[in-house]
Amino acid sequence: MASTTQPRGKVRERREDVRRRVLRTTAEMMADGTPYTELPVQRIAERAQVARSTFYLHFPDKSRLLIALADEAVEALFAEAVVWWRADHADGVDGVAHAMRQMIAAYREHRRVLHALGEVAGYDPDVAEFWRDRMRRFTDVVQARLDTELRAGTVDPEMDVRTTAQVLIWTVERTVSAHCRHDAPPGDEGAGDERIARTLARSIWLTVYGIPPAPPRRPS
């Protein structure tokens, strides 16, 4: 009697196909202008042509769906910045500006998912922990570089590297988020991108490598 059991590879392939369809469908529905929080599971499942029960096999709840969507978006958001922090910085402020331009472009591309991530993280503990974990990972990259610079004597010896890393990361993320939050008029999507990129680059460079301020004068 022939076995009715599907080979494991086929089962895995089918599961991956269902997962991709659900993620792609959700992204398409958000691109149509529907906020993530207003997307019912039933509508997502119907449009992806999967049973509701099948949806829940892959994503136990909408939080897990959002985390899966955001994983790629967050990776794209920080990718170029990670490259810069690990580089030799021989290109100075121009190198930072390039990383900021790429970050702005990535945020704009994934804006709806990243906006949903920030919104849902405000009340969902699983999504909040995912976002904090990704920010911690990036903070670790920046802190490692600042530690290296501190040991080399190329930055202010009084620098608190962990706090500096956190301030830089949140400043950049919040600035880029605010800049890219809303749809720009057609043909004007990049308005202000260069100013934001250059200003962030200068702020980062001066924070890391700038000359420490002179100590306050003591009254004579």
Side-chain angles (χ1 to χ4, degrees), residues 11 27 33 54 123 131 133 139 167-168 210 219:
V11 173
T54 302
Y123 59 82
W131 185 222
D133 176 68
T139 300
V167 168
L168 288 173

Side-chain angles (χ1 to χ4, degrees), residues 140-152:
D140 290 343
V141 171
V142 177
Q143 181 179 349
R145 178 51 178 266
L146 295 180
D147 277 330
T148 299
E149 300 285 3
L150 192 63
R151 289 193 297 271

Side-chain angles (χ1 to χ4, degrees), residues 85-141:
W85 280 106
R86 289 174 173 166
D88 60 13
H89 296 183
D91 47 6
V93 177
D94 289 340
V96 201
H98 172 74
M100 294 301 99
R101 290 187 204 102
Q102 297 301 107
M103 195 171 186
I104 290 168
Y107 196 104
R108 184 167 282 119
E109 180 182 355
H110 300 280
R111 179 177 61 80
R112 289 178 174 85
V113 171
L114 292 169
H115 176 65
L117 176 64
E119 181 181 1
V120 177
Y123 59 82
D124 185 295
D126 291 334
V127 176
E129 179 53 34
F130 165 82
W131 185 222
R132 284 194 298 267
D133 176 68
R134 292 304 184 273
M135 294 299 278
R136 279 195 298 264
R137 292 184 191 186
F138 189 33
T139 300
D140 290 343
V141 171

Side-chain angles (χ1 to χ4, degrees), residues 7-21:
R8 290 183 179 178
K10 289 290 185 181
V11 173
R12 184 165 54 250
E13 183 179 325
R14 183 177 180 280
R15 287 177 177 171
E16 290 174 355
D17 177 63
V18 169
R19 182 180 175 85
R20 283 194 299 269
R21 274 193 286 143

Side-chain angles (χ1 to χ4, degrees), residues 77-78 99-109 111 114 168-182 193 196-197 200-201 204:
L77 179 65
F78 291 127
M100 294 301 99
R101 290 187 204 102
Q102 297 301 107
M103 195 171 186
I104 290 168
Y107 196 104
R108 184 167 282 119
E109 180 182 355
R111 179 177 61 80
L114 292 169
L168 288 173
I169 290 165
W170 283 109
T171 297
V172 170
E173 193 279 332
R174 289 292 84 195
T175 300
V176 172
S177 171
H179 177 61
C180 301
R181 183 169 294 271
H182 303 292
D193 285 6
I196 293 291
L200 284 172
I204 292 167

Side-chain angles (χ1 to χ4, degrees), residues 195-209:
R195 289 194 303 274
I196 293 291
R198 297 298 303 187
T199 300
L200 284 172
R202 184 174 183 276
S203 299
I204 292 167
W205 189 265
L206 289 176
T207 298
V208 175
Y209 297 112

